[in-house]
């Protein structure tokens, strides 16, 4: 079977699949370079993400650095790497904590849910519904134990922390953090949130 992106902009007869994102065309339909660089597959639909605002970029960089510095040796923090949740679901979270073994493989284009311990989504204006509803549900169904959603409140980050209930496979809110984020799972973490955007 050939890559579904050969049919772009129409979907292939069998629909888009997670594997299609491993071999995108080199340019968009009008010759745009890196057109497919910021694309996710959400429930079989290609979603093109908007350019990041500076606030979004600062949070991704700051959270990645601080989580990686505090993570135990068996874990590593990466940013903007895909997670293949199923044949028609391949989101690209802003920040992930994965096993060190998975992170050490430089040939990887995605991680499997079993390799992921924490997913962080920084909400932007075009991703509110996906980050609040669709993605958390899918991450929970895939068994990823921890999910954080970061929102902006008057120029400052607010982190909503969720932990999966193994009995239901759904996330439960365990805290809302404004100035400082201090949690004990998936490992001891203490982050000055206000410093992330200074």
């Amino acid at each position: 079977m050939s890559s579904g992106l050969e049919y772009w902009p129409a979907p292939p007869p069998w629909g888009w699949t997670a594997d299609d994102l491993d071999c995108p065309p080199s340019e968009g339909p009008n010759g745009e370079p890196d057109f497919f660089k910021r694309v996710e597959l959400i429930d079989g639909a290609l979603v093109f993400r908007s350019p990041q605002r500076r606030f979004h970029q600062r949070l991704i960089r700051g959270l990645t650095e601080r989580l990686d510095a505090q993570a135990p040796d068996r874990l590593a923090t990466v940013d903007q790497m895909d997670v293949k949740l199923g044949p028609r679901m391949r989101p690209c979270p802003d920040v992930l904590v994965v096993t060190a073994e998975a992170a050490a493989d430089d040939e990887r284009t995605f991680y499997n849910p079993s390799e992921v311990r924490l997913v962080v989504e920084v909400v932007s204006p075009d991703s509110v519904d996906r980050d609040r509803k669709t993605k958390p549900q899918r991450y929970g169904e895939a068994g990823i134990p921890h999910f954080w959603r970061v929102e902006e409140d008057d120029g400052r980050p607010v982190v909503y922390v969720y932990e999966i209930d193994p009995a239901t496979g759904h996330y439960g809110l365990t805290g809302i953090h404004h100035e400082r984020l201090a949690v004990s799972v998936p490992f001891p973490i203490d982050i000055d949130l206000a410093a992330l955007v200074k």
Side-chain angles (χ1 to χ4, degrees):
M1 186 180 294
S2 60
S3 168
L5 289 175
E6 293 175 12
Y7 291 82
W8 173 260
W14 57 87
W16 306 116
T17 70
D19 292 336
D20 289 329
L21 298 189
D22 277 328
C23 48
S26 58
E27 54 188 37
N30 298 308
E32 306 92 336
D34 295 327
F35 184 79
F36 291 94
K37 190 174 183 179
R38 296 187 52 78
V39 65
E40 301 178 288
L41 185 70
I42 307 295
D43 292 329
L46 294 179
V47 176
F48 292 86
R49 297 171 288 155
S50 298
Q52 293 175 354
R53 294 179 303 133
R54 180 68 174 129
F55 177 86
H56 198 109
Q57 184 187 43
R58 280 182 179 173
L59 284 174
I60 291 172
R61 180 175 296 148
L63 286 171
T64 301
E65 290 172 354
R66 284 158 179 82
L67 285 169
D68 204 42
Q70 297 178 33
D73 291 343
R74 60 187 167 77
L75 299 174
T77 308
V78 299
D79 64 270
Q80 302 177 85
M81 284 286 293
D82 293 358
V83 179
K84 189 187 286 189
L85 302 180
R88 303 178 69 71
M89 191 75 181
R90 186 169 163 171
C92 183
D94 291 309
V95 181
L96 302 103
V97 174
V98 300
T99 65
E101 182 180 0
D105 182 354
D106 288 338
E107 299 303 311
R108 299 290 289 271
T109 58
F110 66 87
Y111 297 109
N112 295 307
S114 63
E115 299 168 316
V116 181
R117 301 297 177 265
L118 167 67
V119 169
V120 182
E121 292 286 4
V122 180
V123 178
S124 56
D126 75 313
S127 71
V128 173
D129 283 343
R130 292 190 305 275
D131 291 344
R132 288 181 177 175
K133 299 173 184 176
T134 307
K135 287 184 177 183
Q137 181 181 343
R138 299 296 186 267
Y139 294 142
E141 290 169 351
I144 296 173
H146 301 278
F147 171 73
W148 296 356
R149 189 183 77 245
V150 185
E151 306 229 6
E152 182 180 359
D153 180 22
D154 197 23
R156 294 172 299 180
V158 178
V159 181
Y160 297 78
V161 174
Y162 297 85
E163 187 171 345
I164 201 166
D165 178 345
T168 65
H170 298 291
Y171 289 119
L173 181 67
T174 62
I176 302 173
H177 304 262
H178 294 265
E179 296 295 324
R180 175 165 238 93
L181 171 61
V183 295
S184 60
V185 290
F187 52 88
I189 297 166
D190 192 342
I191 298 174
D192 179 355
L193 296 175
L196 295 179
V197 291
K198 284 184 179 176

